């Protein structure tokens, strides 16, 4: 006898979150060869990138009045400055558009959050040029016609907006992520400051009101030139510059409140090093981060003015790899992406349970005329004499009370329990959450088994309960990424009511328990978090539709509350983060169309079914608090909600034979419409009418480390389908594995 096995195993996987040495590593450079290429190439004083890293923008610093230009270049390879295509140059002048910048002005560049507005700040005069762009991150439309009218504020004196400030030498402008805060870097020699303003209208300088001034004099000795924040505003970076790079530094601050400079704490400085040394000449007027904080770009400005003579040298942009996101002076774990992944585990748990239950509702509606809706029976195996006896009693009682019967039976008595139907469902999901300004891309894999029982009552009403066990893995796709292993157990209570002859109301109430482990590259658990979740979902759809495919409208609502325990992430011996308890709400509304079509064959019926639904995410941003052991600084951070607009498409087939064999398969894709997130799910079910063709076994052995095994076996013609998982109650690092096995004997 030969057995052939085809197995699919969902195995936990992980990513390292260990920190490397905090030192930028040189990876390449770009030199602007003025004499060899063109006389009008930029004298670098400002630098920024498009979000995809395929376009770079450079501000000019030349003294001559016709040299106040912004340059745009394309990169053949995203974030690789050495692949800059000189031939792709686009130049836009700001001269004659409003107040002209002073000679030697540093031109700093900032965009609003969607790239449709560009801010150009001319230092040594604090003149701001703001343009609306026809195409996002494309300066070709910049002209006197697209400039935003002057706000009327004299930013050379702050126009009385900053108490005690009488003059300024503003070198940089920056905003928080949503444009409700503006920052001006006042870079006077030995007296530099950061001015923070609140904006009544995002990205509108005319609505600015003063908030705070941060004195940098105790740290900076020279001219402050550039200001940057990390992706969530909890770290701040300031550079100073002279013509002697050996005295130039990047100063690093931590902010306990995101984007609030009043909460800043100085943590150290990094001496600007070109090619790993400070041998280059010229002022480092600007720097920039890229690639979700994993790249650092430093520049030299080789302009000198000696004895009334301008001397221009070749400027260089140097590119460095960072060992962790924004890893200058300090390396901290990407707590936002970490917490975001945990939030996604909770959101996907609701999605998976509600998807299966609502598919059960559709199945009941399509098959309510069947004589039997059972799809499984129960077997308990417990390797303990006392518990085994109890198990036998339980099974006998179960089999006596819950035998198969027709769900179409109309007359019932109070003691009649025969109209119960047993069912089972499996699911496998693979997906990705997209790149965001505050989180890195993540992939996930989820698998689950659900076992349920429901009963038909009067007036075509069904009530039921189902238990789902699931396992999932989340992988953060960065060089210092993390891995999350999740294990969940959910109790679902559901009902469906026929409000009239054409409308069904489906309701679901769920209670989940979560266990989330974080692992390093050695598969060691560096932290674990437990959670509880309560959620409800409501769905309404028509019982009858239109046309050959029975097309009918559907709509619904979902709301959930999740509580995750506090925990300590022992990332490394030197970097440990303490996370407070996290309680958050999630919700969405849906609207769409469903369809199904019955195809009658000789020996079986085939149902084709599917749906297309729009889902609007109602979840708000989720704030959390994390405290670092290294400096005991508590920071309040925020997980931004993912895709606001989503589309869910589902298609499936279901076969019900005359002999009672049932097979169902559904494919579903949840696609984010305003980012690259998606989740692909495969739902499958097998059913038989004969009890001896199906086994659900729970094996418990208290004498062998309290091991437990849950298995599900189906005999389908000549094939055996087996799904099982195991768990040790005593093992500190138990093995979690969901195995799917298809075998044949011949």
């Amino acid at each position: 006898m030969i057995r052939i096995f085809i197995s699919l195993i969902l195995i936990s996987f992980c990513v390292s979150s260990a920190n490397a040495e905090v030192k930028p590593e040189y990876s390449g450079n770009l030199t602007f060869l003025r004499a060899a290429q063109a006389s009008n190439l930029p004298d670098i004083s400002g630098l920024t990138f498009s979000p995809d890293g395929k376009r770079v923008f450079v501000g000019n610093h030349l003294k001559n009045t016709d040299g106040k230009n912004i340059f745009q270049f394309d990169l053949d390879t995203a974030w690789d400055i050495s692949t800059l295509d000189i031939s792709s140059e686009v130049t836009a002048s700001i001269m004659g558009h409003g107040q002209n910048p002073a000679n030697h002005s540093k031109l700093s560049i900032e965009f609003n959050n969607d790239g449709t507005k560009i801010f150009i700040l001319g230092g040594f005069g604090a003149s701001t040029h703001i343009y609306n762009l026809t195409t996002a991150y494309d300066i070709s439309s910049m002209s006197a016609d697209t400039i935003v009218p002057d706000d009327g504020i004299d930013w050379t004196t702050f126009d009385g907006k900053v108490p005690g400030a009488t003059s300024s030498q503003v070198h940089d402008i920056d905003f928080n992520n949503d444009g409700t805060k503006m920052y001006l870097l006042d870079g006077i020699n030995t007296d530099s400051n950061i001015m923070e303003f609140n904006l009544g209208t995002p990205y509108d300088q005319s609505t600015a009101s003063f908030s705070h001034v941060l004195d940098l004099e105790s740290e900076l000795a020279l001219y402050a030139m550039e200001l940057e924040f990390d992706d969530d505003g909890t770290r701040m970076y300031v550079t100073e510059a002279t013509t002697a790079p050996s005295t130039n530094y990047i100063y690093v601050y931590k902010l306990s409140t995101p984007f609030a400079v009043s909460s800043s704490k100085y943590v150290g400085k990094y001496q600007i090093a070109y090619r790993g040394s400070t041998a280059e000449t010229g002022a480092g007027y600007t720097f920039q981060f890229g690639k979700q904080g994993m790249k650092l770009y430093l520049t030299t400005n080789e302009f000198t003015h000696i004895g009334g003579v301008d001397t221009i040298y070749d400027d260089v942009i140097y590119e460095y790899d960072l060992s962790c996101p924004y890893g200058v002076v300090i390396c901290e774990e990407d707590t936002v992406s970490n917490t975001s992944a945990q939030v996604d585990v909770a959101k996907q748990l609701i999605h998976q349970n509600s998807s299966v239950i609502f598919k059960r509702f559709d199945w009941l509606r399509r098959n309510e005329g069947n004589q039997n809706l059972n799809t499984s029976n129960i077997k308990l195996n417990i390797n303990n004499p006392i518990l085994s006896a109890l198990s036998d009693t339980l099974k006998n009682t179960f089999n006596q009370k819950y035998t198969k019967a027709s769900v179409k039976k109309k007359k019932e008595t109070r003691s009649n329990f025969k109209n119960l139907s047993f069912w089972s469902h499996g699911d496998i999901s693979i997906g990705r959450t997209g790149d965001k300004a505050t989180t890195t891309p993540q992939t996930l894999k989820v698998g689950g088994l659900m076992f349920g029982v429901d009963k038909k009552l009067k007036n075509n009403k069904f009530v039921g309960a189902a238990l789902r066990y699931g396992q999932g893995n989340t992988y953060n796709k960065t060089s210092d990424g993390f891995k999350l292993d999740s294990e969940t157990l959910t109790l679902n209570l559901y009902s469906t009511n026929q409000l009239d002859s054409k409308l069904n109301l489906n309701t679901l109430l769920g209670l989940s328990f979560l266990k989330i482990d974080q692992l390093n590259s050695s598969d060691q658990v560096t932290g674990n978090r437990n959670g509880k979740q309560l959620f409800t979902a409501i769905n309404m759809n028509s019982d009858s539709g239109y046309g050959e495919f029975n097309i009918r409208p559907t709509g619904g609502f979902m709301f959930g509350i999740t509580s995750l325990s506090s925990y300590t992430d022992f990332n490394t011996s030197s970097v440990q983060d303490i996370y407070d308890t996290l309680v958050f709400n999630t919700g969405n509304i849906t609207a769409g169309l469903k369809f199904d079509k019955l195809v009658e064959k000789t020996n079986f019926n085939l149902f084709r079914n599917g749906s297309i639904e729009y889902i609007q995410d109602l979840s708000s941003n989720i704030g959390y608090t994390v405290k670092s052991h290294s400096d005991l600084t508590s920071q309040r951070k925020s997980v931004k909600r993912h895709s606001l607009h989503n589309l869910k498409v589902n298609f499936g087939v279901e076969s019900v034979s005359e002999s009672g064999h049932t097979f169902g398969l559904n494919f579903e894709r949840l696609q984010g419409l305003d980012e690259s997130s998606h989740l692909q799910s495969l739902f499958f079910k097998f059913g038989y009418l004969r009890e001896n063709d199906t086994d659900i076994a729970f094996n418990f052995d208290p004498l062998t480390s309290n091991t437990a095994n849950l298995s599900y076996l189906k005999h389908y013609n000549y094939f055996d389908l087996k799904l099982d998982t195991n768990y040790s109650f005593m093992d500190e690092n138990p093995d979690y594995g969901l195995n799917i096995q298809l075998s044949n004997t011949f």
Side-chain angles (χ1 to χ4, degrees):
M1 181 171 61
I2 302 174
R3 274 190 177 272
I4 299 176
F5 295 95
I6 304 173
S7 299
L8 173 62
I9 305 175
L10 303 184
I11 304 175
S12 303
F13 61 96
C14 66
V15 183
S16 169
S17 57
N19 291 301
E21 182 182 1
V22 187
K23 182 179 180 181
E25 181 179 349
Y26 172 76
S27 63
N29 69 76
L30 172 76
T31 302
F32 288 102
L33 303 174
R34 301 178 191 284
Q37 294 178 353
S39 60
N40 67 335
L41 285 174
D43 186 35
I44 304 171
S45 67
L47 180 72
T48 194
F49 292 83
S50 60
D52 61 5
K54 294 183 178 181
R55 182 165 288 175
V56 63
F57 304 86
V58 180
N60 207 352
H61 179 64
L62 291 175
K63 177 184 178 182
N64 53 299
T65 56
D66 60 352
K68 296 299 184 291
N69 299 326
I70 302 299
F71 293 80
Q72 171 183 304
F73 301 96
D74 292 332
L75 302 181
D76 293 335
T77 302
W79 304 112
D80 186 348
I81 198 66
S82 66
T83 67
L84 183 145
D85 181 7
I86 291 292
S87 66
S88 67
E89 174 188 327
V90 176
T91 307
S93 174
I94 65 173
M95 299 304 295
H97 305 164
Q99 180 183 357
N100 290 333
N103 288 339
H104 301 302
S105 286
K106 174 184 183 293
L107 296 189
S108 298
I109 307 169
E110 281 294 330
F111 289 92
N112 64 348
N113 52 8
D114 63 2
T116 58
K117 184 176 290 187
I118 187 173
F119 296 79
I120 303 167
L121 179 72
F124 302 102
S127 61
T128 306
H129 291 67
I130 308 171
Y131 297 85
N132 293 315
L133 302 180
T134 303
T135 303
Y137 300 102
D138 185 349
I139 66 173
S140 59
S141 63
M142 281 178 51
S143 69
D145 295 330
T146 62
I147 193 170
V148 176
D150 193 336
D151 56 24
I153 301 172
D154 183 1
W155 292 103
T156 62
T157 62
F158 296 114
D159 215 16
K161 285 183 172 291
V162 181
T166 57
S167 63
S168 69
Q169 192 166 297
V170 178
H171 287 151
D172 196 17
I173 183 173
D174 209 343
F175 300 90
N176 65 344
N177 288 338
D178 60 7
T180 57
K181 284 185 176 291
M182 179 181 70
Y183 309 87
L184 297 178
L185 182 62
D186 189 15
I188 299 175
N189 191 18
T190 71
D191 187 20
S192 295
N193 302 281
I194 299 175
M195 311 292 183
E196 178 185 318
F197 301 86
N198 295 322
L199 300 183
T201 301
Y203 299 103
D204 186 348
Q205 277 187 311
S206 66
T207 64
S209 61
F210 173 73
S211 174
H212 187 79
V213 57
L214 177 66
D215 188 355
L216 303 175
E217 184 178 355
S218 59
E219 288 86 39
L220 276 72
L222 302 169
Y223 297 90
M225 282 291 175
E226 187 81 9
L227 170 67
E228 292 294 335
F229 293 91
D230 70 346
D231 51 11
D232 66 355
T234 57
R235 272 180 283 176
M236 182 175 70
Y237 305 82
V238 181
T239 57
E240 63 182 358
T242 64
T243 55
S246 60
T247 61
N248 297 169
Y249 294 88
I250 298 178
Y251 295 83
V252 183
Y253 300 79
K254 292 183 67 173
L255 282 64
S256 58
T257 301
F259 294 105
V261 298
S262 60
S263 68
S264 64
K265 176 182 178 181
Y266 173 67
V267 294
K269 62 183 179 180
Y270 165 73
Q271 185 175 359
I272 294 177
Y274 301 104
R275 295 180 184 266
S277 70
T278 56
E280 299 292 332
T281 61
Y285 279 175
T286 187
F287 81 101
Q288 188 61 254
F289 291 105
K291 201 176 182 180
Q292 291 80 46
M294 296 305 296
K295 289 281 189 180
L296 172 68
Y297 303 88
L298 299 172
T299 70
T300 61
N301 182 287
E302 302 292 333
F303 171 83
T304 58
H305 181 71
I306 302 175
V309 178
D310 294 339
T311 304
I312 302 172
Y313 302 96
D314 298 328
D315 286 356
V316 184
I317 302 175
Y318 294 93
E319 177 184 324
Y320 296 83
D321 293 323
L322 300 181
S323 57
C324 63
Y326 303 92
V328 178
V329 176
I330 56 175
C331 246
E332 295 183 312
E333 183 183 352
D334 184 3
T335 65
V336 175
S337 292
N338 192 345
T339 305
S340 175
Q342 297 171 10
V343 170
D344 282 339
V345 168
K347 294 178 69 173
Q348 294 303 331
L349 180 59
I350 298 177
H351 172 77
Q352 293 294 331
N353 278 277
S354 59
S355 287
V356 173
I357 294 297
F358 286 129
K359 285 178 175 57
R360 176 62 178 176
F361 289 143
D362 293 338
W363 191 87
L364 288 172
R365 186 189 61 81
R366 288 194 302 267
N367 296 277
E368 62 180 357
N370 289 355
Q371 293 301 305
N372 196 294
L373 299 179
N374 290 313
T375 58
S376 60
N377 61 54
I378 302 295
K379 181 172 69 176
L380 299 175
N381 295 324
I382 303 179
N383 297 321
N384 179 285
I386 298 176
L387 296 179
S388 180
L390 180 61
S391 169
D392 293 338
T393 302
L394 176 62
K395 285 190 291 183
N396 291 335
T397 304
F398 186 90
N399 290 332
Q400 289 174 4
K401 287 187 175 182
Y402 305 113
T403 57
K404 297 182 295 181
S406 171
V407 297
K408 294 295 290 182
K409 184 175 181 181
K410 300 296 183 180
K411 297 181 180 180
E412 303 178 12
T413 63
R414 184 176 302 177
S415 60
N416 185 2
F417 294 95
K418 293 184 178 181
N419 284 1
L420 292 177
S421 302
F422 300 93
W423 58 275
S424 59
H425 222 294
D427 59 84
I428 299 175
S429 301
I430 300 174
R432 168 188 172 105
T433 55
D435 304 7
K436 299 291 286 185
T438 54
T439 58
T440 53
Q442 301 157 11
T443 60
L444 59 92
K445 294 182 179 180
V446 180
L449 287 174
M450 184 179 287
F451 304 97
V453 56
D454 44 47
K455 179 179 178 64
K456 185 176 183 181
L457 305 177
K458 295 180 179 180
N459 301 322
N460 292 322
K461 177 180 180 180
F462 282 90
V463 295
L467 195 66
R468 181 183 183 273
Y469 171 77
Q471 293 178 348
N473 314 119
T474 301
Y475 166 49
N476 189 39
K477 300 191 69 172
T478 63
S479 59
D480 72 329
F482 56 81
K483 166 193 175 177
L484 298 181
D485 283 353
S486 62
E487 187 178 19
T488 61
L489 185 66
T490 305
L491 174 63
N492 297 276
L493 304 176
Y494 59 91
S495 69
T496 177
N497 294 282
Q498 194 171 62
L499 300 182
D500 55 38
S501 60
K502 295 184 178 181
L503 188 63
N504 292 322
L505 174 64
N506 306 317
T507 58
L508 167 65
L509 178 66
L511 175 63
S512 299
F513 299 92
L514 302 85
K515 182 176 183 293
I516 302 175
D517 290 338
Q518 181 173 314
L519 297 88
N520 60 20
S521 58
S522 301
D523 284 339
Q524 295 176 333
V525 177
T526 61
N528 55 70
R529 195 167 206 174
N530 297 318
K532 295 174 289 185
Q533 182 182 78
L534 182 66
F535 63 91
T536 185
I538 298 174
N539 171 273
M540 295 185 67
N541 56 58
S542 176
D543 193 40
S544 59
Y546 305 92
E548 180 183 356
F549 286 89
N550 192 30
I551 300 174
R552 57 197 186 279
T554 181
F557 169 79
M558 183 278 292
F559 177 76
I561 303 175
T562 304
S563 174
L564 299 179
S565 65
S566 61
Y567 81 106
T568 299
D569 178 11
F570 296 95
N571 188 24
T572 67
S573 59
S574 60
V575 180
Q576 300 173 11
D577 295 313
I578 303 174
Y579 293 78
D580 285 353
T581 300
L582 177 60
V583 179
F584 58 92
N585 302 330
T586 56
N588 63 52
I589 56 174
T590 65
L593 297 172
K594 291 187 175 183
F595 70 88
D596 55 45
K597 181 180 181 181
L598 171 63
V599 180
E600 296 183 354
K601 301 293 183 179
T602 303
N603 298 318
F604 66 94
N605 289 334
L606 181 68
F607 291 93
R608 300 172 184 172
N609 58 86
S611 63
I612 180 170
E613 296 174 281
Y614 166 77
I615 302 176
Q616 181 170 346
D617 192 345
L618 303 178
S619 306
S620 59
N621 296 336
I622 298 171
Y624 68 98
T625 301
V626 59
K627 183 177 182 180
S628 173
H629 270 190
S630 60
D631 56 11
L632 299 180
T633 299
S634 292
Q635 294 178 305
R636 185 67 178 172
K637 299 192 176 187
S638 179
V639 175
K640 307 297 183 183
R641 63 180 177 182
H642 288 315
S643 182
L644 174 64
H645 305 284
N646 304 270
L647 189 67
K648 184 172 73 171
V649 178
N650 176 276
F651 180 80
V653 293
E654 179 183 291
S655 171
V656 180
S657 68
E658 291 182 353
S659 61
H661 298 80
T662 301
F663 171 77
L665 188 67
N666 280 82
F667 174 79
E668 180 177 285
R669 182 177 176 96
L670 179 65
Q671 177 68 53
L673 298 179
D674 45 15
E675 65 162 60
S676 59
S677 66
H678 67 266
L679 182 70
Q680 299 179 140
S681 302
L682 185 65
F683 300 90
F684 50 91
K685 62 173 173 280
F686 300 87
Y688 297 89
L689 298 185
R690 294 176 297 169
E691 293 186 359
N692 58 357
D693 278 342
T694 304
D695 286 327
I696 300 174
F698 177 74
N699 304 293
F700 175 58
D701 186 358
L703 302 179
T704 309
S705 301
N706 286 332
T707 58
N709 175 272
L710 179 66
S711 65
Y712 174 69
L713 177 65
K714 279 287 187 181
H715 308 283
Y716 191 80
N717 292 337
Y718 301 103
F719 293 92
D720 292 340
L721 177 72
K722 183 178 181 181
L723 301 92
D724 62 55
T725 183
N726 57 71
Y727 179 80
S728 173
F729 291 100
M730 302 300 293
D731 194 343
E732 293 183 359
N733 297 299
D735 174 33
Y736 308 114
L738 174 63
N739 304 283
I740 303 175
Q741 186 180 90
L742 183 66
S743 63
N744 184 23
T745 303
F746 62 91

